[in-house]
Amino acid sequence: MTAADIERLDVPLADVELQTACETTRKALARTNSPSDRIAYANDLFLLTHPEACATDADYPHWVANDLAEQIRISDTTRRTR
């Protein structure tokens, strides 16, 4: 077998990671008896196989990651004043 033959068989790391994550999620889904866990695992599997359904930073242009601490502070302050 030559190096060229091996390169044809090589799979991108992202594909291997996705396959591993899907397999792990399917096994967990098959083993759990908890209805809430089954729902969560099924949702995880859907999102793993349909990345277009996931939100991205472009979906929330007004949200600034650096502002997270301020948002938490405002939320905590609001809860304390109720």
mmCIF file of all heavy atoms in Angstrom, residues 4-33:
data_model
loop_
_atom_site.group_PDB
_atom_site.id
_atom_site.type_symbol
_atom_site.label_atom_id
_atom_site.label_comp_id
_atom_site.label_asym_id
_atom_site.label_seq_id
_atom_site.Cartn_x
_atom_site.Cartn_y
_atom_site.Cartn_z
ATOM 1 N N ALA A 4 -0.274 7.312 -1.254
ATOM 2 C CA ALA A 4 -1.451 7.816 -1.975
ATOM 3 C C ALA A 4 -2.685 6.986 -1.641
ATOM 4 O O ALA A 4 -3.790 7.527 -1.516
ATOM 5 C CB ALA A 4 -1.180 7.806 -3.477
ATOM 6 N N ASP A 5 -2.522 5.669 -1.495
ATOM 7 C CA ASP A 5 -3.653 4.814 -1.140
ATOM 8 C C ASP A 5 -4.172 5.144 0.259
ATOM 9 O O ASP A 5 -5.379 5.165 0.500
ATOM 10 C CB ASP A 5 -3.251 3.342 -1.208
ATOM 11 C CG ASP A 5 -2.952 2.883 -2.629
ATOM 12 O OD1 ASP A 5 -3.520 3.468 -3.566
ATOM 13 O OD2 ASP A 5 -2.148 1.945 -2.775
ATOM 14 N N ILE A 6 -3.256 5.388 1.159
ATOM 15 C CA ILE A 6 -3.639 5.708 2.536
ATOM 16 C C ILE A 6 -4.362 7.057 2.578
ATOM 17 O O ILE A 6 -5.352 7.218 3.292
ATOM 18 C CB ILE A 6 -2.408 5.698 3.458
ATOM 19 C CG1 ILE A 6 -1.901 4.266 3.594
ATOM 20 C CG2 ILE A 6 -2.749 6.295 4.826
ATOM 21 C CD1 ILE A 6 -0.607 4.139 4.358
ATOM 22 N N GLU A 7 -3.885 8.028 1.802
ATOM 23 C CA GLU A 7 -4.523 9.342 1.781
ATOM 24 C C GLU A 7 -5.959 9.257 1.276
ATOM 25 O O GLU A 7 -6.826 9.995 1.724
ATOM 26 C CB GLU A 7 -3.714 10.311 0.924
ATOM 27 C CG GLU A 7 -2.445 10.773 1.595
ATOM 28 C CD GLU A 7 -1.629 11.709 0.720
ATOM 29 O OE1 GLU A 7 -2.114 12.096 -0.366
ATOM 30 O OE2 GLU A 7 -0.520 12.061 1.124
ATOM 31 N N ARG A 8 -6.242 8.360 0.347
ATOM 32 C CA ARG A 8 -7.607 8.182 -0.145
ATOM 33 C C ARG A 8 -8.524 7.644 0.943
ATOM 34 O O ARG A 8 -9.716 7.912 0.951
ATOM 35 C CB ARG A 8 -7.632 7.238 -1.353
ATOM 36 C CG ARG A 8 -7.182 7.872 -2.639
ATOM 37 C CD ARG A 8 -7.424 6.977 -3.839
ATOM 38 N NE ARG A 8 -6.744 5.681 -3.718
ATOM 39 C CZ ARG A 8 -7.359 4.506 -3.659
ATOM 40 N NH1 ARG A 8 -8.654 4.435 -3.715
ATOM 41 N NH2 ARG A 8 -6.670 3.386 -3.542
ATOM 42 N N LEU A 9 -7.959 6.877 1.862
ATOM 43 C CA LEU A 9 -8.752 6.296 2.942
ATOM 44 C C LEU A 9 -8.891 7.230 4.142
ATOM 45 O O LEU A 9 -9.724 6.996 5.022
ATOM 46 C CB LEU A 9 -8.099 4.989 3.407
ATOM 47 C CG LEU A 9 -8.012 3.876 2.365
ATOM 48 C CD1 LEU A 9 -7.238 2.702 2.929
ATOM 49 C CD2 LEU A 9 -9.391 3.449 1.903
ATOM 50 N N ASP A 10 -8.074 8.271 4.189
ATOM 51 C CA ASP A 10 -8.082 9.188 5.319
ATOM 52 C C ASP A 10 -9.405 9.957 5.386
ATOM 53 O O ASP A 10 -9.930 10.406 4.373
ATOM 54 C CB ASP A 10 -6.912 10.167 5.204
ATOM 55 C CG ASP A 10 -6.587 10.844 6.511
ATOM 56 O OD1 ASP A 10 -7.059 10.370 7.560
ATOM 57 O OD2 ASP A 10 -5.846 11.845 6.489
ATOM 58 N N VAL A 11 -9.938 10.086 6.591
ATOM 59 C CA VAL A 11 -11.202 10.788 6.811
ATOM 60 C C VAL A 11 -10.897 12.061 7.589
ATOM 61 O O VAL A 11 -10.118 12.039 8.545
ATOM 62 C CB VAL A 11 -12.172 9.892 7.631
ATOM 63 C CG1 VAL A 11 -13.468 10.614 7.912
ATOM 64 C CG2 VAL A 11 -12.420 8.592 6.897
ATOM 65 N N PRO A 12 -11.503 13.178 7.212
ATOM 66 C CA PRO A 12 -11.278 14.419 7.957
ATOM 67 C C PRO A 12 -11.635 14.262 9.436
ATOM 68 O O PRO A 12 -12.609 13.578 9.782
ATOM 69 C CB PRO A 12 -12.198 15.426 7.283
ATOM 70 C CG PRO A 12 -12.438 14.873 5.918
ATOM 71 C CD PRO A 12 -12.385 13.380 6.078
ATOM 72 N N LEU A 13 -10.855 14.896 10.294
ATOM 73 C CA LEU A 13 -11.054 14.795 11.736
ATOM 74 C C LEU A 13 -12.460 15.232 12.140
ATOM 75 O O LEU A 13 -13.088 14.611 13.002
ATOM 76 C CB LEU A 13 -10.003 15.627 12.478
ATOM 77 C CG LEU A 13 -10.103 15.638 13.993
ATOM 78 C CD1 LEU A 13 -9.977 14.229 14.561
ATOM 79 C CD2 LEU A 13 -9.045 16.555 14.591
ATOM 80 N N ALA A 14 -12.974 16.274 11.533
ATOM 81 C CA ALA A 14 -14.320 16.752 11.876
ATOM 82 C C ALA A 14 -15.374 15.667 11.634
ATOM 83 O O ALA A 14 -16.318 15.519 12.422
ATOM 84 C CB ALA A 14 -14.649 18.004 11.070
ATOM 85 N N ASP A 15 -15.203 14.895 10.554
ATOM 86 C CA ASP A 15 -16.148 13.810 10.266
ATOM 87 C C ASP A 15 -16.057 12.713 11.320
ATOM 88 O O ASP A 15 -17.080 12.174 11.763
ATOM 89 C CB ASP A 15 -15.883 13.208 8.890
ATOM 90 C CG ASP A 15 -16.228 14.159 7.759
ATOM 91 O OD1 ASP A 15 -16.830 15.217 8.030
ATOM 92 O OD2 ASP A 15 -15.879 13.838 6.603
ATOM 93 N N VAL A 16 -14.855 12.392 11.740
ATOM 94 C CA VAL A 16 -14.665 11.361 12.775
ATOM 95 C C VAL A 16 -15.267 11.823 14.098
ATOM 96 O O VAL A 16 -15.944 11.060 14.791
ATOM 97 C CB VAL A 16 -13.168 11.017 12.940
ATOM 98 C CG1 VAL A 16 -12.945 10.074 14.117
ATOM 99 C CG2 VAL A 16 -12.611 10.424 11.660
ATOM 100 N N GLU A 17 -15.044 13.090 14.452
ATOM 101 C CA GLU A 17 -15.595 13.621 15.699
ATOM 102 C C GLU A 17 -17.118 13.603 15.669
ATOM 103 O O GLU A 17 -17.758 13.264 16.664
ATOM 104 C CB GLU A 17 -15.077 15.037 15.938
ATOM 105 C CG GLU A 17 -13.616 15.083 16.309
ATOM 106 C CD GLU A 17 -13.069 16.495 16.404
ATOM 107 O OE1 GLU A 17 -13.654 17.425 15.803
ATOM 108 O OE2 GLU A 17 -12.045 16.665 17.084
ATOM 109 N N LEU A 18 -17.716 13.958 14.534
ATOM 110 C CA LEU A 18 -19.171 13.938 14.413
ATOM 111 C C LEU A 18 -19.702 12.512 14.533
ATOM 112 O O LEU A 18 -20.678 12.261 15.248
ATOM 113 C CB LEU A 18 -19.604 14.551 13.080
ATOM 114 C CG LEU A 18 -21.108 14.503 12.789
ATOM 115 C CD1 LEU A 18 -21.899 15.246 13.853
ATOM 116 C CD2 LEU A 18 -21.394 15.068 11.409
ATOM 117 N N GLN A 19 -19.071 11.577 13.851
ATOM 118 C CA GLN A 19 -19.500 10.173 13.927
ATOM 119 C C GLN A 19 -19.408 9.656 15.358
ATOM 120 O O GLN A 19 -20.310 8.952 15.837
ATOM 121 C CB GLN A 19 -18.649 9.305 12.998
ATOM 122 C CG GLN A 19 -18.900 9.557 11.531
ATOM 123 C CD GLN A 19 -17.871 8.862 10.650
ATOM 124 O OE1 GLN A 19 -16.965 8.189 11.130
ATOM 125 N NE2 GLN A 19 -18.013 9.032 9.341
ATOM 126 N N THR A 20 -18.339 10.007 16.053
ATOM 127 C CA THR A 20 -18.152 9.573 17.439
ATOM 128 C C THR A 20 -19.219 10.170 18.343
ATOM 129 O O THR A 20 -19.806 9.472 19.180
ATOM 130 C CB THR A 20 -16.746 9.957 17.936
ATOM 131 O OG1 THR A 20 -15.778 9.387 17.070
ATOM 132 C CG2 THR A 20 -16.509 9.489 19.355
ATOM 133 N N ALA A 21 -19.487 11.458 18.178
ATOM 134 C CA ALA A 21 -20.503 12.119 18.997
ATOM 135 C C ALA A 21 -21.881 11.519 18.744
ATOM 136 O O ALA A 21 -22.646 11.276 19.686
ATOM 137 C CB ALA A 21 -20.511 13.618 18.718
ATOM 138 N N CYS A 22 -22.206 11.258 17.484
ATOM 139 C CA CYS A 22 -23.498 10.654 17.151
ATOM 140 C C CYS A 22 -23.617 9.246 17.726
ATOM 141 O O CYS A 22 -24.663 8.875 18.282
ATOM 142 C CB CYS A 22 -23.696 10.624 15.645
ATOM 143 S SG CYS A 22 -24.027 12.245 14.914
ATOM 144 N N GLU A 23 -22.564 8.463 17.614
ATOM 145 C CA GLU A 23 -22.583 7.097 18.147
ATOM 146 C C GLU A 23 -22.753 7.101 19.665
ATOM 147 O O GLU A 23 -23.548 6.328 20.213
ATOM 148 C CB GLU A 23 -21.289 6.381 17.764
ATOM 149 C CG GLU A 23 -21.246 4.940 18.215
ATOM 150 C CD GLU A 23 -19.951 4.251 17.802
ATOM 151 O OE1 GLU A 23 -19.368 4.636 16.777
ATOM 152 O OE2 GLU A 23 -19.544 3.333 18.525
ATOM 153 N N THR A 24 -22.036 7.986 20.340
ATOM 154 C CA THR A 24 -22.138 8.084 21.796
ATOM 155 C C THR A 24 -23.547 8.492 22.211
ATOM 156 O O THR A 24 -24.123 7.935 23.150
ATOM 157 C CB THR A 24 -21.115 9.101 22.327
ATOM 158 O OG1 THR A 24 -19.805 8.688 21.935
ATOM 159 C CG2 THR A 24 -21.181 9.233 23.836
ATOM 160 N N THR A 25 -24.118 9.452 21.478
ATOM 161 C CA THR A 25 -25.470 9.918 21.790
ATOM 162 C C THR A 25 -26.496 8.821 21.546
ATOM 163 O O THR A 25 -27.420 8.631 22.345
ATOM 164 C CB THR A 25 -25.801 11.164 20.951
ATOM 165 O OG1 THR A 25 -24.803 12.162 21.195
ATOM 166 C CG2 THR A 25 -27.160 11.725 21.301
ATOM 167 N N ARG A 26 -26.345 8.085 20.459
ATOM 168 C CA ARG A 26 -27.277 6.972 20.174
ATOM 169 C C ARG A 26 -27.202 5.900 21.263
ATOM 170 O O ARG A 26 -28.229 5.348 21.676
ATOM 171 C CB ARG A 26 -26.966 6.353 18.813
ATOM 172 C CG ARG A 26 -27.457 7.167 17.656
ATOM 173 C CD ARG A 26 -27.296 6.428 16.326
ATOM 174 N NE ARG A 26 -27.514 7.330 15.232
ATOM 175 C CZ ARG A 26 -26.553 7.913 14.513
ATOM 176 N NH1 ARG A 26 -25.286 7.653 14.747
ATOM 177 N NH2 ARG A 26 -26.847 8.744 13.536
ATOM 178 N N LYS A 27 -25.996 5.585 21.725
ATOM 179 C CA LYS A 27 -25.849 4.588 22.790
ATOM 180 C C LYS A 27 -26.506 5.070 24.076
ATOM 181 O O LYS A 27 -27.186 4.301 24.766
ATOM 182 C CB LYS A 27 -24.365 4.293 23.037
ATOM 183 C CG LYS A 27 -23.734 3.444 21.964
ATOM 184 C CD LYS A 27 -22.266 3.200 22.266
ATOM 185 C CE LYS A 27 -21.600 2.373 21.181
ATOM 186 N NZ LYS A 27 -20.165 2.181 21.453
ATOM 187 N N ALA A 28 -26.302 6.341 24.421
ATOM 188 C CA ALA A 28 -26.907 6.887 25.631
ATOM 189 C C ALA A 28 -28.427 6.880 25.513
ATOM 190 O O ALA A 28 -29.134 6.548 26.475
ATOM 191 C CB ALA A 28 -26.395 8.308 25.874
ATOM 192 N N LEU A 29 -28.942 7.226 24.336
ATOM 193 C CA LEU A 29 -30.385 7.225 24.098
ATOM 194 C C LEU A 29 -30.961 5.821 24.256
ATOM 195 O O LEU A 29 -32.029 5.633 24.851
ATOM 196 C CB LEU A 29 -30.668 7.764 22.689
ATOM 197 C CG LEU A 29 -32.117 7.842 22.228
ATOM 198 C CD1 LEU A 29 -32.935 8.737 23.152
ATOM 199 C CD2 LEU A 29 -32.183 8.355 20.799
ATOM 200 N N ALA A 30 -30.245 4.833 23.777
ATOM 201 C CA ALA A 30 -30.723 3.453 23.865
ATOM 202 C C ALA A 30 -30.692 2.915 25.295
ATOM 203 O O ALA A 30 -31.482 2.029 25.648
ATOM 204 C CB ALA A 30 -29.876 2.559 22.963
ATOM 205 N N ARG A 31 -29.822 3.433 26.129
ATOM 206 C CA ARG A 31 -29.649 2.881 27.481
ATOM 207 C C ARG A 31 -30.483 3.563 28.550
ATOM 208 O O ARG A 31 -30.677 3.018 29.627
ATOM 209 C CB ARG A 31 -28.176 2.965 27.883
ATOM 210 C CG ARG A 31 -27.324 1.996 27.116
ATOM 211 C CD ARG A 31 -25.907 2.037 27.583
ATOM 212 N NE ARG A 31 -25.106 1.085 26.814
ATOM 213 C CZ ARG A 31 -23.829 1.186 26.623
ATOM 214 N NH1 ARG A 31 -23.155 2.177 27.162
ATOM 215 N NH2 ARG A 31 -23.180 0.293 25.908
ATOM 216 N N THR A 32 -30.954 4.772 28.294
ATOM 217 C CA THR A 32 -31.658 5.491 29.350
ATOM 218 C C THR A 32 -33.124 5.085 29.423
ATOM 219 O O THR A 32 -33.727 4.712 28.420
ATOM 220 C CB THR A 32 -31.545 7.017 29.159
ATOM 221 O OG1 THR A 32 -32.115 7.662 30.292
ATOM 222 C CG2 THR A 32 -32.266 7.487 27.908
ATOM 223 N N ASN A 33 -33.668 5.158 30.610
ATOM 224 C CA ASN A 33 -35.096 4.912 30.824
ATOM 225 C C ASN A 33 -35.829 6.194 31.176
ATOM 226 O O ASN A 33 -37.045 6.188 31.321
ATOM 227 C CB ASN A 33 -35.309 3.881 31.935
ATOM 228 C CG ASN A 33 -34.831 2.507 31.529
ATOM 229 O OD1 ASN A 33 -34.997 2.107 30.379
ATOM 230 N ND2 ASN A 33 -34.217 1.792 32.447
#
